[in-house]
Amino acid sequence: HDLPLISLLTNPSLLYSRSMVLSKPCPIPQQRGLYAWFFKDIPPSVPVEGCITNGDNTLLYLGISPKDENSTQNLRKRIITHYRHNAEGSTLRLTLGTLLTKQSGLPLRRVGSGKRMTFTHLGEQWLDIWMNENAFVCWVEHPTPWEIEKEIIKSICLPLNIQDNSHHPFSDKLSTLRKNAKQLARQQSIANEDDQQRRM
């Protein structure tokens, strides 16, 4: 029953880049719905067999906003968070930064008081640039996206989704990679962001 909806996500007429999303006025509606992420360069070790492609880009991740009836999130807020904020607030950034640590040389670290974990200013900026070149998004409005999310995740191949995606062989591996990154961050000292700023 949600087939037209799925095809709008899997076969979008337009994929939006980071610069398009962050332009003014923002093209994303302040509505509820689902969004899909396509990637030009595939992060290391991510299996793409069975994945949907759109031109040069491969669909790897699906998200919804809000998560439930009580949340005040919407598509615009959530997608901007993924493009602009940090690994603490974005599971997608946490995943990408973890998979790309060897390339960036900037692993997950504890920051601030030590409760939050990000890739530090430098790492998050590196990720911004990477996403600018490689991460593209499309979306579809839906009044209750949490009601159909599971069904859609089960029906398409999405290697970067973990929740409700245990049927995908990569989800366990990705979960372990993220846990290990957090474990390593806990063992390191808290990153001094001031030093990082000065080095730039």
Side-chain angles (χ1 to χ4, degrees), residues 65-177:
S65 190
K67 281 279 172 225
D68 56 43
E69 189 63 65
N70 303 320
S71 168
T72 57
Q73 283 283 337
N74 60 49
L75 285 168
R76 182 184 296 182
K77 283 190 205 168
R78 195 71 197 128
I79 292 170
I80 287 175
T81 295
H82 287 316
Y83 266 138
R84 201 179 196 155
H85 290 222
N86 57 47
E88 182 68 35
S90 160
T91 44
L92 180 61
R93 288 182 78 97
L94 174 63
T95 291
L96 292 172
T98 300
L99 292 167
L100 293 161
T101 295
K102 280 201 173 77
Q103 267 171 262
S104 70
L106 295 155
L108 195 66
R109 294 287 299 271
R110 291 184 300 144
V111 296
S113 66
K115 287 190 177 74
R116 294 183 312 121
M117 289 185 190
T118 73
F119 295 100
T120 69
H121 289 314
L122 285 180
E124 298 290 349
Q125 281 166 337
W126 186 94
L127 203 49
D128 285 345
I129 294 165
W130 189 90
M131 289 183 83
N132 215 27
E133 293 166 5
N134 294 297
F136 304 92
V137 70
C138 65
W139 59 86
V140 58
E141 291 178 33
H142 191 283
T144 53
W146 55 88
E147 288 179 0
I148 57 169
E149 182 185 24
K150 281 183 193 168
E151 187 188 329
I152 295 180
I153 288 174
K154 287 197 172 81
S155 67
I156 40 188
C157 180
L158 296 161
L160 297 189
N161 281 75
I162 293 178
Q163 201 181 338
D164 300 319
N165 201 28
S166 55
H167 59 280
H168 194 290
F170 192 62
S171 93
D172 275 353
K173 187 179 176 190
L174 180 56
S175 191
T176 303
L177 285 169

Side-chain angles (χ1 to χ4, degrees), residues 17-24 83 132:
S17 66
R18 184 174 185 272
S19 53
M20 287 159 80
V21 164
L22 299 181
S23 64
K24 294 205 172 9
Y83 266 138
N132 215 27

